[in-house]
Amino acid sequence: SKKPRYGRYVYPNSFFKYEGQWKRGKKHGHGKLLFKDGSYYEGEFADGEIVGHGLRYWASTGNTYSGQFLFGELHGHGVFHYGNGSKYEGEFSYGVREGHGSLTEKDGVTYQGSFHNNKKHGGGKMTFPNGDKFEGDWILDQRQGHGILQCPDGTVYEGQWRNDMFNGQGCMIHCSGVIYDGLWHNGSPLGQAKTMAIVGPEVVDASQGSVLTFHVQLQTDNGEIVFPLLFGGSPSDTGRLLSYRP
């Protein structure tokens, strides 16, 4: 069999230009396909097709991909750098993110887990710039199913998610010591609490059906001040619990 020969070819429409190896009149071996807008592919060719490992650059977006190709499409394992600063490393199937991968967004959010049709789908872990960590189920880029959220201040939520929010049955242990185990709707607790407690000098239990917006009076060095203690808030933990008002 003949060895591939090197040559250049400009297509009749002048949009494509090829420089590289040829075999039996077809692009075969290593070569570079240049587009008129400045985009290009450089890598392996087989029988005239882009097949194997290569690098693709898109001039209009600044996106680059280095990895495996099949008939001109991203297919197999690769690393995709987006022009906006995001990065994906993992599996592709016919041009879309499919399978297991790691995505780092431009805002610092990172995700490791399953992808389907370009979206986070299946099981995965996400870490946020503020230190929050989520591990659980995803459906089409949203947290949906069962999941655990851990916050740097010690607050933990474990339970059901829908539409990227606490929805359904779940338990939150707040950093203030408040525990709520019950139903949630769009991120807020509903009234049907199994148990709710404020941990302080005395443990105060609130039975099922208690109102969930309550006030904790804290004594600080500057005197007494009242904090409305809401889930997701950050009440002072330097004072001493004096009273509880449902």
Side-chain angles (χ1 to χ4, degrees):
S1 61
K2 292 182 179 180
K3 290 183 178 180
R5 294 185 299 172
Y6 181 86
R8 291 188 179 93
Y9 179 73
V10 178
Y11 286 74
N13 61 13
S14 298
F15 188 78
F16 299 105
K17 182 170 69 173
Y18 175 76
E19 298 178 2
Q21 294 178 306
W22 297 79
K23 189 174 182 180
R24 296 192 185 95
K26 292 182 178 180
K27 300 183 290 291
H28 190 90
H30 187 272
K32 187 171 185 178
L33 186 65
L34 299 102
F35 302 80
K36 199 170 186 177
D37 68 350
S39 303
Y40 65 85
Y41 166 82
E42 184 171 8
E44 296 176 338
F45 291 81
D47 289 325
E49 300 284 354
I50 293 174
V51 175
H53 190 275
L55 173 69
R56 178 82 161 87
Y57 168 71
W58 290 265
S60 60
T61 58
N63 296 346
T64 62
Y65 169 81
S66 176
Q68 294 172 303
F69 288 80
L70 182 65
F71 300 118
E73 293 197 89
L74 287 54
H75 191 82
H77 187 272
V79 180
F80 199 108
H81 288 271
Y82 297 86
N84 65 9
S86 300
K87 175 189 172 184
Y88 171 82
E89 181 171 0
E91 297 172 321
F92 288 84
S93 178
Y94 298 104
V96 299
R97 298 183 301 226
E98 186 81 31
H100 190 272
S102 174
L103 177 66
T104 303
E105 303 277 10
K106 61 179 179 179
D107 57 7
V109 174
T110 63
Y111 171 83
Q112 282 187 308
S114 295
F115 286 82
H116 174 60
N117 198 24
N118 260 346
K119 296 183 183 293
K120 297 180 282 288
H121 191 86
K125 300 178 183 179
M126 179 170 275
T127 303
F128 298 85
N130 66 358
D132 288 355
K133 293 180 180 179
F134 171 84
E135 182 172 0
D137 301 326
W138 295 78
I139 294 181
L140 301 177
D141 271 349
Q142 290 193 325
R143 290 171 286 189
Q144 191 138 322
H146 182 269
I148 301 173
L149 177 69
Q150 294 179 303
C151 304
D153 63 8
T155 298
V156 178
Y157 171 85
E158 179 171 3
Q160 293 175 306
W161 295 71
R162 192 174 69 251
N163 300 329
D164 224 28
M165 292 184 283
F166 310 152
N167 267 300
Q169 186 70 34
C171 178
M172 176 178 278
I173 302 173
H174 194 266
C175 60
S176 63
V178 175
I179 301 169
Y180 172 75
D181 186 352
L183 290 174
W184 297 76
H185 178 67
N186 291 341
S188 298
L190 290 175
Q192 301 92 321
K194 289 180 185 174
T195 176
M196 182 173 62
I198 299 174
V199 181
E202 302 171 19
V203 176
V204 181
D205 282 312
S207 61
Q208 182 168 340
S210 297
V211 177
L212 293 180
T213 301
F214 44 86
H215 298 272
V216 176
Q217 189 173 336
L218 295 171
Q219 187 177 36
T220 68
D221 294 338
N222 301 326
E224 293 181 4
I225 53 175
V226 176
F227 287 91
L229 182 60
L230 300 174
F231 291 92
S234 54
S236 169
D237 57 3
T238 57
R240 185 172 68 85
L241 181 68
L242 296 178
S243 65
Y244 159 76
R245 178 167 60 85

